[in-house]
């Protein structure tokens, strides 16, 4: 028992002391608490309880003194009140700020694809609705923002956020040591007197209220599975990040410390009692905590949810050993099972979302061409998505264990592109999925390119989009490793082919005007230049070039380097050909009437005009002419 066992008190005095503290019979007893009195008074009361209990020991029920039995009931009721008061007055709230300081801002490692300045839906307002139109970006800033997000994730640990003091179990003092000593003294006497149920109930009631208060401090809300599933996704994203932080504190600090408090108060009084008090305290809060993750695991699957689900999965994988440790008792088996089932369902959800994302990319139905043949919002969205997948490579490799359902060149299905897995030996299932996503993106873009009526614009559109794909792969070491240099070279060749096809479709007919053939007419022993044919050749060149200039200045190549390289390539073909043609035949035009109607531009004029190409906005209807 304790040091009071060595002391003794007359039974009559003991009963009198107990009755004096009967709160049902005395106003003074109701207003005061024994354990807030002097230590000597506390010890005298405990000694009185021991004396009455001793007088009843070894006595059969039939011989039991009714007065002593009534006295012990009064004592137990009083000790129950004292037990409750000590627990309430000595409860310390968690110092949340000291437990959850992140090394990276929780918002910094956000992975939402909706953070670009314009959503895919806004940039594709005429498209049919699809999952892929809900999120995504279509301006150049999204590349930098996603790289920042990827960098933040890569530099953080254990699946995104490293919380100081919550990376492992850390038990803290929930109640001061001196109060624990008093609580043990009371619990021992109540349990020894047959009042175990009352002791467990009052303990669980007070401590559960304390846990609930700490949940509120951590931002853990009381939401049913239905409540969670009805939330808007933007709201849910914030709550998921908050839940991950709170779960770390709840499992590793709060629940672990509650378990320790039970051990401190009830050690030696029976494992079953310790477990009962612990479960009475935390079963409801634990279910509340895990219900949120369970609701996410069974909620509607859509592409933008994948990375939140992976973060939840990573967090639970990280917490799983601690969950098993804190809830190791048999009575807590249902909590361990729930955590394992949630983890399994999150994995299934991730696999399902990836499959649905692939299907959505393949079937994305927008048919209105993007103006100027620029990068399609779908391309930006899919490549940013693939980059984020590569950031979660470690987790995804564990979850994705089967190859994609790709087409075969022997399948004969024109609605699915070909992909032969034999060409990608040594690739993991996840890497094959990432390559497959790139394949179906190109397949979809090929279909979209057919909605352009201008053949040159078809090739410019494909060049822009494949170039963007190549640059995204080159810009992400993780994505490049997953796709592999062999397939990257294949993509680069396709980009080059599109650029070459554009130049052929546009400039062959322009340069055809600058040929010598057909200008010479034979007569006698010599040939001469047909001025009429020559004049017509200059007029045709001027008309075609002006049309190309007017139209293609409104086309857009958003990548500065690519735009400049294509202009240089055009100039390298156009300018020498025009300079040579002009040098050889200029005198024949200038010797006739109104030469300015035929030789409208100098070489310098054309060089300046080429600089207008691919800027994405109209230019003056007349070319700039430096010389008249």
């Amino acid at each position: 028992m304790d040091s009071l066992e060595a002391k003794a008190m007359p039974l009559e005095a003991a009963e009198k002391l107990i009755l004096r503290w009967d709160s049902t019979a005395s106003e003074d007893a109701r207003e005061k608490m024994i354990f807030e009195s002097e230590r000597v008074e506390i010890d005298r009361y405990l000694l009185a309880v021991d004396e009455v209990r001793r007088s009843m020991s070894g006595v059969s029920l039939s011989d039991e003194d009714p007065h002593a039995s009534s006295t012990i009931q009064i004592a137990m009721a009083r000790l129950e009140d004292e037990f409750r008061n000590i627990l309430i007055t000595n409860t310390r709230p968690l110092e949340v700020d000291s437990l959850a300081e992140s090394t990276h801002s929780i918002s910094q490692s956000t992975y939402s694809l909706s953070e670009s300045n314009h959503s895919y839906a806004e940039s594709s307002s005429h498209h049919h609705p699809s999952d892929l139109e809900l999120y995504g970006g279509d301006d150049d800033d999204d590349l930098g923002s996603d790289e920042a997000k990827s960098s933040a994730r890569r530099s953080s640990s254990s699946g995104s956020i490293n919380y100081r003091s919550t990376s492992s179990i850390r038990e803290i003092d929930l109640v001061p040591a001196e109060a624990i000593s008093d609580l043990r003294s009371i619990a021992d006497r109540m349990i020894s007197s047959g009042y175990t149920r009352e002791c467990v109930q009052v303990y669980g009631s007070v401590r559960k209220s304390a846990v609930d208060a700490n949940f509120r401090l951590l931002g853990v809300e009381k939401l049913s599975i239905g409540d969670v599933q009805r939330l808007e996704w933007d709201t849910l994203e914030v709550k998921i990040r908050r839940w991950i932080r709170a779960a770390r504190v709840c499992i590793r600090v709060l629940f672990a410390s509650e378990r320790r408090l039970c051990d401190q108060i009830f050690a030696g009084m029976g494992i079953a009692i310790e477990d009962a008090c612990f479960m009475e305290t935390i079963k409801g809060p634990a279910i509340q905590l895990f219900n949120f993750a369970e609701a996410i695991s069974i909620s509607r699957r859509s592409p933008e949810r994948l990375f939140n689900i992976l973060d939840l999965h990573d967090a639970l994988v990280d917490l799983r050993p601690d969950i098993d440790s804190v809830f190791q008792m048999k009575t807590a088996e249902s909590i361990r099972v729930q955590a394992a089932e949630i983890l399994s369902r999150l994995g299934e959800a991730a696999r399902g979302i990836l499959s649905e994302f692939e299907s959505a990319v393949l079937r994305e139905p927008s048919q209105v061409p993007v103006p100027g043949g620029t990068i399609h919002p779908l391309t930006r969205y899919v490549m940013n998505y693939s980059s984020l997948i590569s950031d979660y490579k470690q987790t995804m490799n564990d979850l994705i264990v089967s190859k994609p359902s790709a087409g075969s060149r022997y399948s004969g299905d024109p609605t699915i592109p070909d992909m032969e897995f034999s060409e990608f030996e040594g690739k993991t299932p996840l890497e094959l999925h990432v390559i497959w996503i790139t394949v179906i993106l190109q397949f979809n873009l090929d279909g979209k390119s057919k909605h352009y009526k201008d053949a040159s614009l078809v090739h410019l559109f494909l060049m822009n989009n494949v170039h963007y794909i190549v640059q995204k792969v080159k810009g992400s070491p993780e994505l490049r490793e997953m796709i592999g240099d062999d397939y990257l070279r294949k993509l680069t060749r396709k980009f080059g082919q599109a650029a070459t096809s554009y130049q052929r479709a546009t400039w062959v007919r322009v340069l055809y005007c600058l040929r010598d053939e057909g200008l010479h007419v034979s007569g006698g022993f010599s040939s001469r230049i047909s001025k009429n044919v020559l004049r017509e050749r200059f007029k045709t060149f001027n008309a075609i070039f002006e049309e190309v200039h007017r139209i293609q200045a409104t086309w857009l190549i958003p990548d500065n380097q690519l735009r400049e390289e294509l202009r240089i390539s055009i100039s390298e073909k156009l300018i020498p050909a025009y300079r040579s043609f002009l040098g050889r035949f200029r005198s024949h035009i200038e010797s006739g009437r109104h030469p300015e109607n035929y030789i409208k531009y100098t070489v310098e004029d054309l060089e300046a005009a080429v600089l207008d190409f691919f800027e994405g906005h109209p230019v003056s209807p007349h070319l700039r002419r430096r010389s008249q």
Side-chain angles (χ1 to χ4, degrees), residues 13-193:
E15 291 176 341
K16 186 177 180 180
L17 179 59
I18 290 172
L19 292 174
R20 182 164 66 83
W21 283 102
D22 181 4
S23 57
T24 64
S26 166
E27 184 69 27
D28 189 53
R30 278 195 294 272
E31 293 178 353
K32 296 181 180 179
M33 302 304 297
I34 299 172
F35 280 78
E36 291 177 357
S37 306
E38 296 294 330
R39 188 74 237 176
V40 63
E41 185 66 24
I42 296 170
D43 291 343
R44 288 183 69 245
Y45 189 85
L46 293 176
L47 191 62
V49 172
D50 294 343
E51 185 60 38
V52 175
R53 288 179 54 243
R54 189 179 300 110
S55 71
M56 297 175 63
S57 62
V59 178
S60 65
L61 289 176
S62 58
D63 296 332
E64 192 174 85
D65 181 359
H67 183 68
S69 179
S70 174
T71 302
I72 205 67
Q73 288 178 13
I74 292 170
M76 292 301 111
R78 181 72 206 198
L79 288 178
E80 182 179 329
D81 290 341
E82 297 287 339
F83 193 71
R84 179 184 294 104
N85 184 66
I86 295 170
L87 283 171
I88 292 173
T89 57
N90 288 277
T91 291
R92 295 173 174 175
L94 288 179
E95 295 179 5
V96 175
D97 291 341
S98 68
L99 292 170
E101 293 181 9
S102 60
T103 56
H104 295 282
S105 167
I106 194 164
S107 60
Q108 182 183 5
S109 60
T110 305
Y111 31 66
S112 170
L113 293 167
S114 62
E115 291 185 345
S116 302
N117 292 338
H118 305 288
S119 72
Y120 182 7
E122 289 169 347
S123 63
S124 313
S125 58
H126 299 293
H127 296 181
H128 295 290
S130 72
D131 281 341
L132 295 184
E133 292 181 320
L134 297 178
Y135 288 77
D138 69 339
D139 61 9
D140 293 333
D141 292 338
D142 68 346
L143 176 61
S145 64
D146 279 312
E147 285 177 348
K149 296 172 205 169
S150 298
S151 175
R153 174 174 171 78
R154 286 193 294 270
S155 62
S156 60
S157 65
S158 301
S160 76
I161 303 165
N162 178 27
Y163 290 102
R164 185 169 64 83
S165 303
T166 57
S167 59
S168 60
I169 289 179
R170 180 191 172 196
E171 297 170 339
I172 60 175
D173 292 328
L174 297 175
V175 173
E178 57 272 19
I180 288 175
S181 176
D182 288 337
L183 290 167
R184 278 188 60 82
S185 296
I186 296 172
D188 187 27
R189 287 165 174 83
M190 289 185 71
I191 292 167
S192 299
S193 301

Side-chain angles (χ1 to χ4, degrees), residues 387-453:
S387 294
L388 289 170
I389 288 176
S390 70
D391 289 335
Y392 287 80
K393 180 174 67 174
Q394 182 175 350
T395 301
M396 292 288 279
N397 269 330
D398 293 337
L399 297 177
I400 306 302
V401 295
S402 60
K403 298 176 181 178
S405 301
S408 165
R409 65 171 61 99
Y410 307 110
S411 66
D413 186 350
T415 64
I416 301 178
D418 298 339
M419 179 175 169
E420 297 300 328
F421 293 124
S422 59
E423 299 176 10
F424 302 100
E425 290 185 8
K427 290 291 184 184
T428 66
L430 176 62
E431 290 169 339
L432 291 174
H433 276 274
V434 173
I435 294 171
W436 173 239
I437 289 170
T438 309
V439 169
I440 59 180
L441 171 61
Q442 293 176 79
F443 182 79
N444 192 314
L445 292 171
D446 287 340
K448 294 184 189 307
S449 72
K450 294 178 174 58
H451 297 296
Y452 291 104
K453 296 179 180 179

